[in-house]
């Protein structure tokens, strides 16, 4: 089965369509599938729902799709750092389903494991719990959250082999693993594709069985908040 594609546009061909639910890895600007997001923008796909911790910044990450009004709904934990995200939400142009970060990660992981729902204490007594089933266990109240079963997952990894085994680099591991597992189809963009058998099996973060298509490309690796010391203090 062919898994390696020449570029993001080719990898999305025959997969991307209007109205999809897309799970996207990354946290802030770390480990985001920037090449695939740019290709989605260029495709013109509309009415998309993204399950992602956040939407990047105004001109990078999912933020570029908000600018072109290709996203109708975000399932996210964080609105900050993206003025257009906040503006569209407050003006009623964008639907937003808030999730605590741990809950969102677990919803993705649950979907990847075939689990339709689970109970958590997180959000009990807040607006997060509105309209959700409540149940008591051992005298404590929990709410039920549903697993996320995405039409497509897009993730960014450090290394891959041709079978799709992936290694994520440090913080970029974040939401990428659970996002990858919950998609019916998973496309991974990577910095390097290495020969089969060269990856230490104990170092693989995501088995290739979850990954259907792979692209290799150059990445900007933009820093979201650059903080430096003055030279004399260094």
């Amino acid at each position: 089965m062919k898994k390696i594609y020449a570029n993001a546009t080719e990898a999305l061909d025959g997969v991307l369509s209007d109205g999809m639910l897309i799970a996207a890895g990354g946290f802030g600007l770390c480990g985001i599938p920037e090449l695939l997001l740019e290709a989605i923008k260029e495709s013109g796909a509309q009415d998309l729902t993204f399950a992602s911790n956040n939407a990047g910044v105004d001109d990078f990450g999912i933020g570029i799709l908000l600018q072109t009004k290709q996203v109708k709904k975000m399932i996210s934990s964080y609105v900050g750092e993206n003025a257009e995200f906040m503006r569209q939400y407050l003006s009623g142009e964008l639907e937003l389903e808030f999730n605590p970060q741990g809950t969102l990660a677990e919803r993705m992981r649950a979907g990847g494991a075939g689990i339709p729902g689970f109970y958590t204490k997180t959000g009990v007594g807040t607006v997060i719990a509105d309209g959700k089933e409540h149940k008591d266990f051992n005298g404590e109240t929990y709410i039920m959250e549903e697993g996320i079963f995405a039409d497509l997952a897009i993730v960014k990894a450090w290394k891959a082999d041709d079978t799709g085994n992936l290694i994520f680099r440090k913080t970029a591991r974040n939401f990428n693993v659970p996002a990858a597992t919950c998609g019916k189809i998973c496309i991974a963009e990577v910095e390097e594709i290495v020969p089969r058998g060269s990856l230490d099996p104990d170092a693989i973060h995501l088995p290739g069985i979850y990954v259907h298509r792979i692209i290799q490309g150059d990445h900007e690796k933009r820093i979201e908040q650059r903080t430096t010391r003055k030279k004399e203090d260094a």
Side-chain angles (χ1 to χ4, degrees), residues 7-227:
N7 54 56
T9 299
E10 184 179 317
L12 288 165
D13 184 44
V15 173
L16 186 64
S17 62
D18 293 348
M20 295 189 88
L21 168 56
I22 301 175
F27 186 97
L29 300 183
C30 180
I32 63 172
E34 60 195 73
L35 304 178
L36 288 163
L37 289 169
E38 181 63 35
I40 291 172
K41 175 187 173 182
E42 295 302 319
S43 76
Q46 299 291 320
D47 297 323
L48 302 172
T49 297
F50 272 88
S52 174
N53 180 67
N54 53 72
V57 292
D58 289 304
D59 61 344
F60 200 60
I62 298 174
I64 62 175
L65 297 171
L66 292 176
Q67 290 181 335
T68 53
K69 304 292 182 67
Q70 290 171 258
V71 181
K72 72 172 183 179
K73 179 179 179 180
M74 290 294 304
I75 304 173
S76 296
S77 299
Y78 183 57
V79 181
E81 316 301 333
N82 192 317
E84 181 62 14
F85 189 174
M86 180 173 62
R87 188 198 68 76
Q88 288 188 25
Y89 168 57
L90 293 176
S91 67
E93 299 173 41
L94 178 71
E95 186 179 349
L96 174 62
E97 182 180 335
F98 264 128
N99 277 214
Q101 286 185 355
T103 299
L104 179 58
E106 181 63 11
R107 289 184 66 193
M108 291 181 178
R109 191 204 68 81
I115 299 171
F118 60 92
Y119 290 96
T120 176
K121 290 176 65 177
T122 306
V124 172
T126 74
V127 294
I128 297 296
D130 291 349
K132 294 177 181 175
E133 179 187 336
H134 289 60
K135 190 168 184 177
D136 288 348
F137 294 91
N138 300 317
E140 298 282 349
T141 300
Y142 293 73
I143 57 174
M144 191 183 80
E145 296 282 0
E146 295 185 3
I148 291 176
F149 297 85
D151 300 305
L152 172 65
I154 55 174
V155 298
K156 157 76 185 333
W158 180 37
K159 292 184 179 183
D161 63 19
D162 67 325
T163 70
N165 291 316
L166 301 183
I167 294 178
F168 300 94
R169 184 165 172 78
K170 299 183 178 181
T171 307
R173 192 169 172 181
N174 50 55
F175 276 79
N176 276 299
V177 173
T181 64
C182 75
K184 293 177 183 176
I185 295 176
C186 174
I187 304 177
E189 61 181 67
V190 303
E191 296 181 33
E192 182 181 8
I193 299 174
V194 300
R196 187 181 305 190
S198 64
L199 298 178
D200 179 354
D202 286 334
I204 292 170
H205 298 135
L206 185 73
I209 193 171
Y210 289 106
V211 180
H212 302 85
R213 300 184 179 189
I214 312 162
I215 62 166
Q216 179 177 316
D218 297 323
H219 297 85
E220 185 174 338
K221 296 187 180 180
R222 189 184 301 193
I223 297 174
E224 190 169 356
Q225 295 287 349
R226 186 182 295 274
T227 303

